[in-house]
Amino acid sequence: MAATLSLFSLSVLPSCGTRSDGETPAAKASVEAAKPAPIDTMALKVAAMRRDSLKADSIVKANGQLPGAILPGKRIVAFYGNIRAKGMGILGREPKDQMFRKFDKVIAEWQAADPSIPVQPAIHNVTITAQAAPGKDGKYRLMNSKATIEEVIQWGKEHNCIVFLDVQVGLSNLENELHKLEPYLKDPIVHMGIDPEFAMETKGVKPGRKIGTFDAKDVNYAVKFLARIVSENNLPPRCSLCTASPRA
């Protein structure tokens, strides 16, 4: 290396060892060394999430629950469906006011059954829904419009409910779908649901033909995705719900 450097110096520098612009090689090296190293922003985010996770673990061990957390101090009772689909559950099957009157009755029944645990009402809306039709990109899923999602969240705020936005990925995957919900997950009342029953990427068939599945890496991706949003936006702890319909 030294020999190569000496040969280079002789061929490009004046005999006095000084650059024509007045800067010596040693000075240039000093300037280069003083430049800050590139910042690995992804590594910083991972470190922050790990720090928050360790802090959360220590708080739970000491107090049993994180500040602002819903679980395990409350029991979540949810009405499920899609407000634009009558066949998916009670959210879209009945008129809004009638549905909430029924929901209030159910909440009261749960509270009466076990007064020791407060009930937290929830609306669980399937926001990205598996479809029989492939759609333009052949992924067999359809997302609610921005107006519909905002309406669901408004329902939650009007009735003191938390809101689960649920994802059925069809032939897509969580990495491609969850980011679409990020703007809404920044709202403190909004939580996340993922539905393995209609995750068909590994099955290679359209939804409804077989029961789908998520791998552990998919669930871990979803947990880390939500943890990042919580950490970056200084939000209270959130719930990530993995759902599946029972089959006889």
Side-chain angles (χ1 to χ4, degrees), residues 77-153:
V77 176
F79 266 17
Y80 175 94
N82 181 310
I83 69 169
R84 296 289 185 258
K86 292 185 177 181
M88 292 189 65
I90 194 168
L91 288 188
R93 187 171 63 236
E94 299 187 10
K96 174 187 172 184
D97 292 341
Q98 177 179 314
M99 182 272 293
F100 272 110
R101 285 195 296 270
K102 185 174 290 187
F103 195 18
D104 289 340
K105 182 179 178 182
V106 170
I107 293 166
E109 289 172 349
W110 273 99
Q111 194 63 75
D114 185 0
S116 67
I117 302 178
V119 172
Q120 172 59 66
I123 301 171
H124 190 126
N125 187 78
V126 185
T127 304
I128 299 177
T129 309
Q131 301 287 302
K136 291 181 179 180
D137 60 0
K139 297 300 183 181
Y140 290 88
R141 50 83 181 93
L142 180 68
M143 182 172 172
N144 281 158
S145 68
K146 180 176 183 289
T148 295
I149 298 171
E150 290 176 347
E151 184 176 353
V152 171
I153 295 171

Side-chain angles (χ1 to χ4, degrees), residues 45 48-49 51-52 226-235:
K45 289 180 179 179
M49 285 191 290
R51 177 203 65 213
D52 292 347
L226 190 57
R228 175 184 60 78
I229 294 173
V230 169
S231 178
E232 290 179 354
N233 296 278
N234 195 29
L235 297 167

